[in-house]
Amino acid sequence: MQQVCFDRPGAADVLRLVDAPRPEPRAGELRVRVAAAGVNRADVAQRQGVYAPPPGASDILGLEVSGVVDGVGAGVDAHWLARKVCTLTPGAGYAEWVCVPASHCLPVPAGWSWAEAAAFPEAAMTVWSNVFELGRLASGESLLVHGGTSGVGACAIALARALGHEVMATASGPAKCEALSDWGAQPIDYRREDFVERVLALTQGRGADVILDMVGGAYVQRNLACAAMGARVVQIAFQADVRAEIDLLALMQRRAGLTGSLLRPRSEADKAQIVASLREHVLPLIAAGRMRAPVIDSLHAFDAVAHAHAHMESSQHVGKIVLAWDCALARQKP
């Protein structure tokens, strides 16, 4: 089979296709023949040498895929064979085949393409575990999403809107803000507007109940400035700076919570629990037509993986960047 690898950290052009043995599933695992794979910021950071995979994980890139199950390991029911699935991977998704825990797999939703299915697992698990579990977004509460046109941002908007929440989201420029509006969020152009002032205006001074932040740095204090009483601020990345200085009095006055998490280092059991929650709470929304499919920014052949990574680094994308072994097939609905 073929897979994507790189010999040293560096720019996108270090990525290349190589031949490798086809993996065999271990106990509790499925082997998936990959149709498409989502591209994530973590892939870019790992390629750059600033985000090492957790102990025991593959050093091959790729955290989510869609495809067909063609092998099962010990202890896995054979009924999985030939099933169309999308799944979080422990790495190694940039390959023709990948082995994954059976407990991390979800069915490809009816009416979704292979590309849309590949764009779902990582974003949906990140959103569910951070906005709804850590952030405890409750009925009648509002959500502020930074990076609203990213894959995670788009998923957060889609899921929160499906559950009836008011959503505000930041992005840069009129085109991205128009996309946010089309998705049902109140757009905030952070280059032209002060998002703190805009959030307070949109909420009549109340502030946002849950804030999902992937910027970090100075945004942390600014988030507290537009947080509602009892708000929860959830940090999932730090594109600006890993360090921040905050006014503890602002945190205390609002009785706010500041928390965060990483998905990849979590245990296999933790990830299985999140997948079970998606199966229980999110798949029915999709089946009922209340939650739309992931927004696909662009689809790239695996031999153009360097271009896909460079596109992500440009931050010009709106929605998810996806890789496929056969782009025409990936656009089809299985």
Side-chain angles (χ1 to χ4, degrees):
M1 72 163 190
Q2 288 193 302
Q3 66 184 24
V4 175
C5 78
F6 58 97
D7 296 324
R8 66 189 188 284
D13 60 6
V14 301
L15 298 170
R16 59 191 178 88
L17 286 174
V18 299
D19 292 324
R22 188 171 65 176
E24 294 298 328
R26 298 175 297 184
E29 291 185 336
L30 309 175
R31 184 176 62 208
V32 178
R33 181 158 194 171
V34 174
V39 177
N40 291 285
R41 287 278 180 188
D43 301 333
V44 172
Q46 184 177 331
R47 187 209 77 222
Q48 293 171 331
V50 296
Y51 183 46
S58 172
D59 59 0
I60 302 301
L61 303 178
L63 298 177
E64 58 185 343
V65 304
S66 63
V68 178
V69 176
D70 77 347
V72 296
V76 179
D77 197 302
H79 79 270
W80 279 100
L81 288 169
R83 286 197 174 188
K84 303 172 181 69
V85 299
C86 54
T87 179
L88 193 76
T89 77
Y94 286 14
E96 289 186 274
W97 279 270
V98 64
C99 293
V100 299
S103 59
H104 294 179
C105 292
L106 291 164
V108 172
W112 285 18
S113 68
W114 289 113
E116 290 166 337
F120 179 68
E122 192 273 345
M125 292 177 70
T126 297
V127 170
W128 184 264
S129 60
N130 287 284
V131 174
F132 293 92
E133 293 184 343
L134 277 180
R136 306 185 311 281
L137 184 64
S139 177
E141 291 189 327
S142 63
L143 172 67
L144 170 61
V145 179
H146 291 300
T149 55
S150 66
V152 169
C155 181
I157 293 167
L159 183 51
R161 292 295 297 146
L163 292 170
H165 297 279
E166 176 190 357
V167 182
M168 299 158 285
T170 61
S172 61
K176 287 189 175 185
C177 285
E178 183 178 354
L180 294 177
S181 183
D182 290 344
W183 302 342
Q186 290 279 1
I188 303 170
D189 187 340
Y190 67 81
R191 290 184 177 171
R192 302 172 61 185
E193 304 174 280
D194 184 313
F195 77 76
V196 174
E197 293 178 0
R198 185 66 176 143
V199 167
L200 292 175
L202 289 169
T203 59
Q204 292 77 52
R206 182 176 184 276
D209 295 293
V210 175
I211 300 173
L212 184 66
D213 185 21
M214 54 194 82
V215 180
Y219 267 42
V220 178
Q221 179 60 38
R222 296 176 70 195
N223 287 334
L224 292 176
C226 63
M229 190 67 67
R232 286 80 67 198
V233 181
V234 187
Q235 200 73 41
I236 60 169
F238 44 88
Q239 292 182 35
D241 197 339
V242 67
R243 292 176 175 82
E245 183 173 309
I246 65 170
D247 179 354
L248 292 176
L249 182 58
L251 185 77
M252 295 158 63
Q253 287 174 330
R254 287 166 176 78
R255 300 196 298 275
L258 177 58
T259 184
S261 74
L262 293 170
L263 179 60
R264 192 174 187 187
R266 295 182 70 163
S267 70
E268 184 176 316
D270 280 352
K271 294 173 185 175
Q273 181 272 319
I274 301 170
V275 170
S277 294
L278 295 183
R279 189 178 291 112
E280 178 182 357
H281 299 288
V282 179
L283 292 190
L285 296 174
I286 296 170
R290 293 171 57 188
M291 182 175 172
R292 58 170 167 75
V295 175
I296 304 301
D297 171 85
S298 53
L299 183 62
H300 305 258
F302 267 97
D303 59 9
V305 61
H307 179 72
H309 270 229
H311 183 45
M312 171 158 277
E313 289 180 88
S314 77
S315 294
Q316 296 303 305
H317 58 291
V318 174
K320 208 67 190 230
I321 300 169
V322 177
L323 296 165
W325 293 105
D326 181 334
C327 289
L329 174 67
R331 293 186 181 96
Q332 296 177 8
K333 299 173 182 179

